[in-house]
Amino acid sequence: MRKSLILPLLLLSFHLGNSQVSITPEPSWIVKEKHDPNAQAPENGVSGGTHVLLYTEQIHMDREEVYIKSVSKAVEYSGIQNISSVVADYDPTYQKLRFHRIDVIRNGEVINRLREQDIQTARRETNAENYIYDGTISAFVNIPDVRNGDIVLYCYSKKGFNPIQKGKFSTSFVLNSTQPIDKISAHAFSKDPLHYQLINTDLEPVRKVKAGVNHYAWAQEDVPAILLEEQTPTWYVQNASVLVTEYDSWSDVIAWGRDIFTFEEPLSQELQDVISEIRNTNKKEGDRIRAALAFVQNEVRYLAIHSGIGGYKPNSPNKVMEQRFGDCKDKSVLFSAMLNDMGIEAYPTLVNTSLRKILPTLPPSSKVFDHCIVKVVDQNGSTLWYDPTLTDQAGAFDNVYMPDYRYGLVLDQNMTAMDTISDFRNNLVETFSTFKLDEMGKGAELEVRTHYYDGEADFMRAIFRNNSNDVIAQELMAFYTETYGSTSSLAAPTIIDDAAKNEFALLERYKLDSIWRPSLENTNHINLSIYPTNLTSVLTMPSQLERTTPFALSYPMVRKQHVKIMLPEYIRAQAESVTINSDYFYYDFSSNYDASENILTLDYYYKNQDDHVPASGFDAFYKDMVQLDQQIGYFIISNKNGGSSVDSFAYNLGTLIGYSMAALIPIALIVLVIVIVMNRKKKKQA
């Protein structure tokens, strides 16, 4: 429940000496939660060597104050490190931080460790590598002389809410952790009744009214730790949580958003000139939309400064145009203003890049969003969606790729609820691989032609624009060397980029010195193993087989691979086919052998049917994945010492040499992907 003392970027550091951080007594309005100093550590163990005795978070909405208290005991040496520092973050543009207590309790004796000279502050920017600066200040105290068996108690409060919220508050409380907790509580005070929603808990609050103030309290004891499961969807909330809000409806949030996203000032001459150029150069509405999007995406760089109200209120279109940089809100407002000036209907739209599909199920709140895109309605009444923060996008105005955000809150006065963000694209990657074998047991020439569509085309286009051809060629070569052994290039990788259709093709040619391996089953045989790396690069066998949470799948995603093997002599091979029609994915494989030409063809198709597997369907999904794993490899087996052609035969069997999908992820491609992933994480609106 404590925040980590990790400061990736310190922009300034100084001792306490400003009025925004002070030492004061605890607020009078709080509930003074007590801990049991003699509580025994849970039988099933603790995490990080610490036993959490108490954690409470309390919010008084009318006073605009947040109070936090934590009590933990070091029960192992590692726990000393974990409880020996206190970190509290605050926004200096509207908040003041007040420390109340930092005590070390040893054998019942309370030792005060809160001294003004020990409090230091630093500005830290955890997202600076993504060009996101939120202006948060961290105040931290390193507690001296903490020993095994000590209890560390600290509490502090923050005064001030972001004024951009205009008196409407919303927050969330977490009621468990990855550590067992003796006692945890959450308290909310407000003169007005609150709306709340429980997630993964049925703990209803104790509600009291005193002096006209509503007090909601959630508290529980002996809270077990939760085990976070692998590959859980980002939209699935694993903790027991309470969402609290003062908003009555999404209409109220839309009204709030329209107010802060609306600018009455006339467009600047510079911006009008750009709009006029787009209007005069492009006669069709669709071309104008596309040109305006390209301008905002590629001529206005991404930079997010989210200090104070900047986390919610965008800059005006004129300012964004003047400075030529902005965050998702700024870019969306600029793009919408340009289209509106051309008589095209466009609205900034708030989304959440993680919660996505569960957004409509949450209580209304202005804080639930982390990104902004644009909804456009063309002259035919068709709805189009655009993300102005993306770059390197291609395609016409009506087939520009949009990530799977699912739902968005359109800042349109005629809307009263979430709008559905529909998407017809499937992110297809189709690969054509041709192996021209030398004599059996020797090497081969390999030609690979891969076609990328939709978001995958944008993805690859960005890789080639952000990396040198030499680096890309080296990484691709490393992949084929890892897969097939000694490899040399027959030609530099070449690309064909059809921007209008948003299709991207990559052509590669290699010489493989030897792609045969000794057989593990028969020392007189050698094997040639063929795997559809286009599929296996995105598939892994789950390792956690008992699940209580959904299992995430990449979606939308379609993969096709066509393999042609030109053999030097006849082999025994029969046509084969495998189809797995799971509720969660579809897989189809077929093979064919042309004896007259000695050409073996393998065709693979894979599609995810949804973005996740529910916990109730995981066993069936895993069973289908095991079947896929056992069928996805194709083998050609030949006599090691040559001889009659009938000694060579082929068949489809994935486990012949114990090769599973878990070992097939192409490391070189992952290295390439990292570069662009880091560039595409510009998706945050405070």
Side-chain angles (χ1 to χ4, degrees):
M1 306 299 299
R2 300 170 59 255
K3 297 187 177 180
S4 172
L5 187 62
I6 299 176
L7 307 179
L9 178 61
L10 296 180
L11 299 186
L12 53 99
S13 181
F14 47 86
H15 287 285
L16 176 62
N18 65 80
S19 60
Q20 290 179 302
V21 182
S22 60
I23 297 175
T24 70
E26 292 178 295
S28 60
W29 57 266
I30 65 169
V31 175
K32 294 191 175 182
E33 299 278 17
K34 298 185 181 298
H35 68 279
D36 180 2
N38 300 314
Q40 299 298 310
E43 293 183 0
N44 58 352
V46 297
S47 175
T50 62
H51 177 197
V52 181
L53 303 176
L54 171 68
Y55 184 85
T56 182
E57 182 173 356
Q58 306 182 26
I59 297 178
H60 200 302
M61 298 184 183
D62 306 309
R63 293 175 177 266
E64 297 192 357
E65 290 186 65
V66 178
Y67 169 86
I68 290 175
K69 180 179 181 179
S70 174
V71 185
S72 296
K73 181 178 182 179
V75 296
E76 296 176 6
Y77 178 78
S78 59
I80 298 175
Q81 180 69 36
N82 291 329
I83 68 172
S84 292
S85 58
V86 178
V87 182
D89 299 333
Y90 69 99
D91 190 318
T93 62
Y94 62 87
Q95 283 183 324
K96 293 184 178 180
L97 176 65
R98 299 163 175 169
F99 283 100
H100 309 304
R101 295 176 62 186
I102 299 180
D103 296 334
V104 173
I105 305 171
R106 181 178 302 150
N107 299 322
E109 178 187 0
V110 178
I111 307 170
N112 178 18
R113 294 299 191 194
L114 179 56
R115 301 187 306 171
E116 182 175 302
Q117 61 266 34
D118 291 336
I119 303 175
Q120 298 192 50
T121 59
R123 178 175 172 178
R124 67 174 188 173
E125 299 294 353
T126 58
N127 258 324
E129 74 278 8
N130 297 319
Y131 310 104
I132 299 173
Y133 302 88
D134 64 11
T136 297
I137 299 292
S138 293
F140 54 96
V141 177
N142 181 42
I143 307 173
D145 188 26
V146 177
R147 307 175 189 178
N148 196 22
D150 284 353
I151 295 173
V152 170
L153 179 156
Y154 69 82
C155 55
Y156 62 85
S157 61
K158 290 184 279 189
K159 173 73 172 179
F161 291 167
N162 196 324
I164 199 66
Q165 298 298 335
K166 299 183 181 298
K168 288 288 189 179
F169 187 79
S170 54
T171 190
S172 62
F173 298 111
V174 176
L175 299 178
N176 60 4
S177 172
T178 54
Q179 294 177 281
I181 302 173
D182 279 7
K183 183 179 181 180
I184 188 169
S185 68
H187 300 264
F189 298 84
S190 174
K191 66 181 180 180
D192 297 320
L194 299 175
H195 306 289
Y196 66 88
Q197 180 175 323
L198 306 177
I199 299 179
N200 297 330
T201 180
D202 56 3
L203 182 65
E204 291 291 338
V206 175
R207 180 183 177 187
K208 299 178 182 178
V209 180
K210 183 178 180 180
V213 176
N214 294 275
H215 174 202
Y216 298 79
W218 293 266
Q220 52 186 350
E221 299 181 358
D222 300 323
V223 181
I226 63 169
L227 178 64
L228 301 181
E229 298 180 352
E230 64 169 1
Q231 210 161 325
T232 298
T234 58
W235 49 260
Y236 184 83
V237 180
Q238 298 194 59
N239 291 90
S241 306
V242 182
L243 309 182
V244 178
T245 184
E246 289 184 308
Y247 284 98
D248 295 323
S249 67
W250 285 115
S251 295
D252 293 341
V253 183
I254 292 173
W256 166 85
R258 281 179 51 78
D259 181 46
I260 66 173
F261 272 69
T262 299
F263 299 89
E264 301 296 340
E265 63 185 36
L267 300 183
S268 66
Q269 187 60 52
E270 182 184 14
L271 182 50
Q272 290 184 44
D273 290 343
V274 172
I275 295 172
S276 296
E277 175 68 19
I278 291 174
R279 183 187 289 113
N280 296 334
T281 305
N282 302 276
K283 302 306 179 184
K284 295 181 179 180
E285 182 187 73
D287 294 337
R288 291 174 177 176
I289 294 172
R290 192 66 187 88
L293 178 67
F295 175 83
V296 176
Q297 286 185 330
N298 302 319
E299 299 297 328
V300 179
R301 65 187 173 92
Y302 184 91
L303 179 65
I305 301 176
H306 288 164
S307 178
I309 66 174
Y312 297 90
K313 184 173 179 60
N315 290 299
S316 70
N318 290 340
K319 184 173 183 179
V320 179
M321 184 67 192
E322 178 185 4
Q323 64 192 19
R324 291 293 181 110
F325 68 78
D327 63 8
C328 59
K329 305 183 303 298
D330 299 331
K331 284 167 145 297
S332 294
V333 165
L334 175 60
F335 181 45
S336 298
M338 294 174 69
L339 295 185
N340 292 160
D341 192 71
M342 291 186 280
I344 302 170
E345 196 175 345
Y347 307 95
T349 301
L350 304 177
V351 300
N352 190 296
T353 57
S354 298
L355 297 177
R356 303 190 182 198
K357 67 190 302 176
I358 68 168
L359 267 181
T361 70
L362 303 179
S365 168
S366 60
K367 293 184 177 180
V368 75
F369 306 102
D370 69 353
H371 192 46
C372 188
I373 61 174
V374 175
K375 175 184 178 180
V376 176
V377 181
D378 68 11
Q379 60 189 0
N380 298 318
S382 299
T383 297
L384 306 164
W385 301 95
Y386 301 100
D387 188 336
T389 67
L390 300 179
T391 58
D392 299 304
Q393 284 200 295
F397 81 101
D398 57 353
N399 71 344
V400 175
Y401 173 70
M402 167 59 66
D404 182 30
Y405 295 140
R406 294 296 178 97
Y407 295 100
L409 193 71
V410 183
L411 301 183
D412 174 5
Q413 62 184 355
N414 297 314
M415 298 292 294
T416 60
M418 294 284 176
D419 201 357
T420 301
I421 303 174
S422 56
D423 186 25
F424 58 86
R425 287 159 279 270
N426 57 25
N427 284 353
L428 169 66
V429 178
E430 185 170 19
T431 300
F432 300 83
S433 305
T434 300
F435 294 84
K436 185 177 181 181
L437 271 62
D438 299 334
E439 59 183 287
M440 304 296 270
K442 301 297 183 181
E445 290 186 7
L446 170 62
E447 179 178 293
V448 182
R449 180 165 44 94
T450 307
H451 295 260
Y452 302 85
Y453 301 85
D454 306 325
E456 297 290 351
D458 291 338
F459 191 80
M460 291 302 296
R461 187 176 297 110
I463 287 179
F464 274 82
R465 288 187 181 179
N466 288 288
N467 297 275
S468 70
N469 291 339
D470 288 343
V471 169
I472 292 174
Q474 290 172 6
E475 295 294 347
L476 291 172
M477 176 79 75
F479 164 63
Y480 289 105
T481 300
E482 177 77 16
T483 306
Y484 299 112
S486 179
T487 302
S488 57
S489 176
L490 294 177
T494 58
I495 62 173
I496 301 174
D497 190 357
D498 189 332
K501 295 182 179 179
N502 196 17
E503 298 177 5
F504 187 96
L506 171 64
L507 178 63
E508 308 164 75
R509 293 186 60 218
Y510 302 97
K511 174 63 178 178
L512 312 178
D513 289 350
S514 177
I515 57 176
W516 297 81
R517 300 290 181 268
S519 171
L520 300 179
E521 288 73 28
N522 189 326
T523 57
N524 293 321
H525 288 167
I526 51 176
N527 300 333
L528 170 57
S529 308
I530 301 294
Y531 286 90
T533 54
N534 183 15
L535 276 64
T536 57
S537 64
V538 293
L539 300 177
T540 54
M541 287 295 292
S543 59
Q544 189 172 358
L545 304 186
E546 294 185 3
R547 296 191 67 88
T548 60
T549 64
F551 182 82
L553 300 175
S554 297
Y555 184 84
M557 185 187 75
V558 177
R559 296 291 184 267
K560 296 180 181 179
Q561 184 146 357
H562 313 280
V563 181
K564 179 188 292 186
I565 306 171
M566 304 174 67
L567 296 154
E569 60 183 61
Y570 171 81
I571 64 171
R572 291 182 295 170
Q574 295 181 342
E576 297 180 78
S577 64
V578 176
T579 298
I580 304 175
N581 191 6
S582 167
D583 289 339
Y584 311 106
F585 69 87
Y586 180 84
Y587 171 75
D588 183 78
F589 163 80
S590 63
S591 68
N592 183 66
Y593 179 57
D594 183 347
S596 63
E597 299 288 339
N598 287 333
I599 295 178
L600 176 67
T601 57
L602 313 174
D603 292 288
Y604 299 86
Y605 177 89
Y606 179 92
K607 178 181 181 179
N608 279 335
Q609 310 277 36
D610 203 345
D611 69 346
H612 75 286
V613 179
S616 60
F618 182 78
D619 289 345
F621 166 76
Y622 181 75
K623 181 179 178 181
D624 291 334
M625 285 294 290
V626 169
Q627 182 184 358
L628 171 58
D629 190 28
Q630 293 173 342
Q631 298 289 342
I632 205 168
Y634 197 90
F635 301 93
I636 300 175
I637 299 178
S638 182
N639 192 312
K640 183 177 182 180
N641 300 315
S644 172
S645 60
V646 297
D647 287 332
S648 300
F649 57 98
Y651 55 90
N652 179 59
L653 181 62
T655 57
L656 178 67
I657 58 172
Y659 212 39
S660 70
M661 290 184 295
L664 287 170
I665 301 177
I667 303 302
L669 292 186
I670 289 178
V671 173
L672 282 177
V673 165
I674 289 174
V675 177
I676 187 61
V677 166
M678 295 305 296
N679 289 331
R680 294 181 66 152
K681 288 172 65 179
K682 305 172 182 177
K683 292 283 182 6
K684 190 174 178 64
Q685 172 198 12

